[in-house]
Amino acid sequence: MIYELRVYDLKPGTGPEYLALLMRTGMKALTSHLPMAGYWLTDTGALNRLYHLWIYESLEERAAARVGFAANRDWTEGFVPYGFPLIVAQRNMMMTRLQGSAALDAAEAGRKTQHPNDTIGPLFAPGLQSLTFGNEVQSDQPLVARWRVMSGETPGETVTLWGGDPMATSQGATRHEILRPIAVSPLR
């Protein structure tokens, strides 16, 4: 499996606006093509930062999914003209799995679940998680997943998603961010 962690930095204060637009007009198109595992907005660190995690069987599956997605008019005409002007920077990392959990296994199994657009439900799921970057991060908190970056800005770096107390997971991290999962995020 290939795990793609995409990072979008949004204009200050527009995180909730972007996510509300995504939930109302883009979620169905997005998950009709791309295999979502997680979607979060930061509460600490770089604010108005979105992380979203996609799971592919191969680079070929990723390429095919992105071609289909780019041709989806609900996305290109219904979401992109309104959502993309809120983005100021984008980057991604291709990662391999080092450790997992039952939650990650469930997200892998349901990665092709299509989520409907939602105009009335809550924007965020209850609870918080944390994401750490660094090779020697230790914690007694529940581990959701740990990956190694294979391609992107920091090849070889370890990225860990934690459950439990998000403040207790920063020991040894070079970067630590508390995340708020959106309501439809499989990993939350």
Side-chain angles (χ1 to χ4, degrees):
M1 294 289 205
I2 296 171
Y3 300 82
E4 180 178 13
L5 185 63
R6 295 182 71 86
V7 185
Y8 290 1
D9 291 325
L10 304 175
K11 291 180 180 178
T14 63
E17 177 185 347
Y18 181 95
L19 288 173
L21 179 66
L22 178 67
M23 294 293 284
R24 282 192 321 270
T25 66
M27 186 56 64
K28 182 178 179 183
L30 186 68
T31 58
S32 292
H33 299 279
L34 303 184
M36 182 173 68
Y39 220 107
W40 306 268
L41 179 66
T42 55
D43 263 19
T44 66
L47 299 179
N48 296 293
R49 175 171 284 172
L50 295 175
Y51 285 102
H52 31 120
L53 181 67
W54 310 94
I55 303 175
Y56 300 97
E57 290 179 6
S58 65
L59 288 175
E60 292 76 20
E61 181 191 30
R62 179 183 181 272
R66 297 205 61 83
V67 165
F69 182 50
N72 186 308
R73 291 179 63 184
D74 289 339
W75 180 255
T76 60
E77 296 173 15
F79 179 79
V80 169
Y82 309 101
F84 277 29
L86 303 177
I87 300 170
V88 295
Q90 297 174 289
R91 62 187 176 286
N92 72 344
M93 298 167 241
M94 297 297 190
M95 308 182 302
T96 59
R97 178 178 169 164
L98 297 175
Q99 290 177 273
S101 64
L104 182 61
D105 292 343
E108 285 179 3
R111 68 190 180 90
K112 292 189 177 182
T113 299
Q114 182 179 343
H115 298 279
N117 291 334
D118 185 354
T119 59
I120 59 171
L123 188 56
F124 294 104
L128 298 169
Q129 293 174 297
S130 63
L131 195 64
T132 58
F133 297 82
N135 294 328
E136 298 300 325
V137 178
Q138 300 297 319
S139 178
D140 61 358
Q141 296 301 305
L143 175 98
V144 177
R146 180 171 282 148
W147 302 274
R148 176 152 338 276
V149 176
M150 303 306 291
S151 181
E153 294 175 348
T154 56
E157 183 175 50
T158 301
V159 178
T160 308
L161 179 64
W162 302 92
D165 178 3
M167 295 294 287
T169 56
S170 62
Q171 183 71 19
T174 57
R175 191 167 88 231
H176 175 271
E177 292 175 321
I178 295 175
L179 307 178
R180 182 169 306 279
I182 67 168
V184 298
S185 179
L187 291 173
R188 51 186 164 148

